[in-house]
Amino acid sequence: MKGEVFFSDENHMINVATLYGKLFDHDEVEGLEDNTFNRETVFLLSQYLVGNAKDAFISIREKSFSEQQEVLKTWCLLIKCPDELSTLCIAIFNCYF
């Protein structure tokens, strides 16, 4: 997925664009296929990152189990910052257990 698509207004990731170099793995962003599912995955990640974690996890839990796994795996691959990745893993754990 091209950076300009990743950080578009459509998926609200524009809110964290200034953190691109610190927070996201550039190669994973560029390697992400540009399709409806991944755009929704990026949108949900943006919601999580701006503090709307509850709604993001509710939306994820409404998906099939395999889709839930794919969304969460993609989130973990996109985030390269160890502190943010650790926080995300704890949030996932708390949501599912």
Side-chain angles (χ1 to χ4, degrees):
M1 180 179 291
K2 297 210 178 283
E4 57 268 12
V5 173
F6 187 81
F7 289 107
S8 69
D9 286 333
E10 177 185 330
N11 62 32
H12 296 236
M13 197 58 85
I14 192 83
N15 297 323
V16 294
T18 57
L19 301 175
Y20 181 59
K22 289 195 249 181
L23 189 59
F24 299 105
D25 183 317
H26 177 74
D27 292 335
E28 289 294 338
V29 170
E30 292 291 322
L32 192 62
E33 187 177 333
D34 187 4
N35 59 41
T36 304
F37 183 81
N38 284 336
R39 284 182 181 234
E40 182 181 7
T41 297
V42 170
F43 171 76
L44 292 171
L45 177 58
S46 76
Q47 294 302 292
Y48 165 81
L49 290 171
V50 298
N52 193 6
K54 181 179 178 182
D55 288 344
F57 281 118
I58 287 171
S59 294
I60 293 168
R61 291 190 67 117
E62 291 172 349
K63 297 182 174 306
S64 71
F65 183 72
S66 62
E67 288 177 330
Q68 290 177 44
Q69 288 180 314
E70 188 63 29
V71 168
L72 297 173
K73 179 182 90 174
T74 301
W75 283 17
C76 291
L77 291 172
L78 289 172
I79 295 176
K80 76 172 184 181
C81 173
D83 292 337
E84 189 60 46
L85 187 57
S86 175
T87 301
L88 172 61
C89 290
I90 291 168
I92 293 169
F93 182 80
N94 287 335
C95 180
Y96 282 86
F97 299 101

